Amino acid sequence: GLRTESPALESVETPPAWVDRAHENLSIVVPIYNPNTERLLLELAAMLLQRQTGRIIPLAIALAPGQLDAPTLEEALDRSNTLLQQASEIGDAFGIPTTPLLRIDDNVAQGISRFSREQNATLIIMGWGRRSRLGARFFGSILDQVFWSAHCPVAVTRLLRSPYELRQILVPTENLTSQSITALRFAHEIAMTNQGEITLLHVSDRTTSPSKKAWIQSQISLMVKKVCPSVPVNIQIVPSDDVTRAIVETSKSYDLLVLRSSRRPTSSGGLVLSNITAQVSQQVSCSVILLSQPHRTAQAVFLSEP
């Protein structure tokens, strides 16, 4: 949930960058399949690299049957090559180095995760359609499997407009964990490019005392000064017994909602999103970005320090 149960928020510390800039350039893998969402995903990747040194790797997965000379594979290869050509043209238009690559695999999700590891990717950007359900349990889906197996952060997006039009950004925050700061840094990069504004939303219990609310706001303010010194950030503390409803209602005035999600396995091997994350992602009417980090890099933070 997004409500703070403990009497104190975690201490505010400037987190490390998500990648050691001294060692390598950034590589953002963008799996492409739907031509209707391809451009928006690539635009988001280009935006994130505007002030960084790196490249976009559009990835097309052609599913292979038992025989590699099967007509169905030939059709998949032709379709994939068409999408990759379009991706290359989009990347060129933004002036970002783009390396379209094709992979033949018998499993889409494993192909994405394995390829991203082979390329030492620093981020995977994927999309989910507006009509697709992102429920509390989505075991068996491609998103589920990539979330679970990827070695790097994954950003699952539902973009209703160009990323360059997203100026009012809402980031719900439960407490000052590294995952919350990751979401804030991600929003910061978009706001910097679009000259936008960020609102940090903290939903508190209705019984929270005024003095505790003031303390929570002061702690969040300290984090904001360290993470987002150059972007306007508003802090809203909303009393409510229904966290989901509070987030959904607030999001109606925003272009983008940035949510974070931990990777929690189920006994069957799938993943469970928090109930609030799942419910909010289904009910909001604005664009959504859902961020997930691998277990071993739970302390990593997206993008360099401002």
Side-chain angles (χ1 to χ4, degrees), residues 87-222:
S88 181
E89 294 172 357
I90 293 171
D92 291 342
F94 286 100
I96 302 296
T98 305
T99 309
L101 292 173
L102 171 65
R103 182 185 182 97
I104 299 175
D105 209 302
D106 59 0
N107 184 286
V108 173
Q110 291 180 11
I112 293 171
S113 297
R114 291 168 179 168
F115 174 87
S116 300
R117 188 66 186 91
E118 292 164 358
Q119 297 293 322
N120 199 24
T122 38
L123 176 69
I124 300 171
I125 295 179
M126 302 179 67
W128 96 81
R130 189 167 188 176
R131 296 181 180 179
S132 300
R133 238 183 119 74
L134 192 68
R137 178 170 303 199
F138 55 118
F139 171 65
S141 73
I142 293 176
L143 294 177
D144 164 26
Q145 295 176 50
V146 174
F147 260 40
W148 176 244
S149 59
H151 78 286
C152 62
V154 180
V156 178
T157 70
R158 187 189 69 194
L159 299 175
L160 306 183
R161 63 177 73 176
S162 168
Y164 290 94
E165 298 176 8
L166 304 175
R167 294 183 174 84
Q168 299 298 320
I169 305 171
L170 180 65
V171 183
T173 179
E174 173 186 5
N175 46 37
L176 305 185
T177 62
S178 62
Q179 289 184 335
S180 296
I181 298 175
T182 296
L184 180 56
R185 283 179 177 269
F186 200 101
H188 171 269
E189 189 67 14
I190 297 175
M192 281 281 290
T193 300
N194 295 341
Q195 298 181 338
E197 295 185 359
I198 298 172
T199 295
L200 277 176
L201 173 66
H202 180 85
V203 182
S204 65
D205 194 285
R206 290 188 181 277
T207 60
T208 303
S209 65
S211 60
K212 184 176 179 180
K213 289 181 182 179
W215 183 83
I216 291 174
Q217 178 147 354
S218 68
Q219 294 297 293
I220 295 177
S221 297
L222 288 174

Side-chain angles (χ1 to χ4, degrees), residues 43-62:
E43 282 187 17
L44 178 60
M47 170 185 289
L48 297 174
L49 290 177
Q50 281 194 348
R51 281 179 295 278
Q52 309 283 337
T53 300
R55 63 172 178 159
I56 304 172
I57 309 179
L59 170 64
I61 302 289

